Amino acid sequence: VRRLLAGEAVTTGDPFDVRDARISPVPPEPVEVWIGGTAERAVDRAARLGDGFLADAHLTPERARATIELYRARCDAHGRTPTAIGIRRDVHVGADAADADRVAGPVVAAGYRGFDPSACTYGDAAQVIEQLGAYAAMGYTDVIIRHLAEDQGEVLASFARLAGVREALLAA
């Protein structure tokens, strides 16, 4: 993939028979390769081959801490320095705590995607800043967001409030 993105022709027979593959147009600047996963082998693969890492959304805060520690250890073992360490969080930023509980509470209580409830991030802006700030303190550099709300209006309102959360976290 890196060779293709650099404009080279690629021929390989393992595991697929590919002859003189090219892509066009070639990206005007280098593309970072993020590799995700949480199984130990996947984390090692990300540390060995990727520029960055993306931790899974289902991780509880405790598992997120253990996963980033494993990733950093594997980066050290491979002599690699990541460009980014991301985590995906499923989020809702309510107008206040009661609003967040009204929108996200029932979704989480119903067993959202089989996640442990502590893997979901919701509350008012201050609560979400605190929760996401904990991941920053662990060393996560990026958060990829999916919204917990199903109603499009609620998602858009949460997105609008998320802008303030982002500004607060960047200023910290």
Side-chain angles (χ1 to χ4, degrees):
V1 170
R2 290 182 192 276
R3 290 176 51 214
L4 287 168
L5 293 171
E8 295 179 35
V10 174
T11 298
T12 182
D14 183 32
F16 304 103
D17 187 28
V18 176
R19 303 267 182 243
D20 297 319
R22 292 183 177 275
I23 63 168
S24 182
V26 174
E29 55 192 46
V31 174
E32 285 187 2
V33 176
W34 289 21
I35 298 175
T38 52
E40 189 170 332
R41 288 179 61 158
V43 174
D44 182 72
R45 185 178 308 114
R48 184 170 39 89
L49 300 173
D51 299 310
F53 174 66
L54 181 60
D56 293 346
H58 71 277
L59 296 178
T60 63
E62 296 78 26
R63 291 278 300 129
R65 180 177 306 284
T67 300
I68 195 170
E69 288 171 359
L70 173 61
Y71 176 67
R72 285 187 182 138
R74 299 313 306 149
C75 283
D76 288 346
H78 293 295
R80 304 277 312 244
T81 302
T83 58
I85 306 174
I87 188 166
R88 209 203 71 224
R89 294 287 84 179
D90 292 36
V91 172
H92 182 73
V93 184
D96 55 34
D99 180 55
D101 284 337
R102 176 187 62 79
V103 174
V107 174
V108 173
Y112 178 77
R113 297 183 177 267
F115 291 4
D116 181 295
S118 69
C120 298
T121 303
Y122 67 98
D124 63 19
Q127 291 169 315
V128 172
I129 290 166
E130 180 180 340
Q131 292 170 55
L132 295 180
Y135 295 105
M138 289 177 204
Y140 287 96
T141 60
D142 294 82
V143 178
I144 307 301
I145 299 294
R146 175 170 46 197
H147 281 272
L148 287 164
E150 294 179 13
D151 177 81
Q152 187 67 13
E154 297 289 358
V155 171
L156 293 174
S158 178
F159 255 130
R161 292 184 284 268
L162 193 57
V165 168
R166 180 179 185 271
E167 287 177 21
L169 288 167
L170 289 174

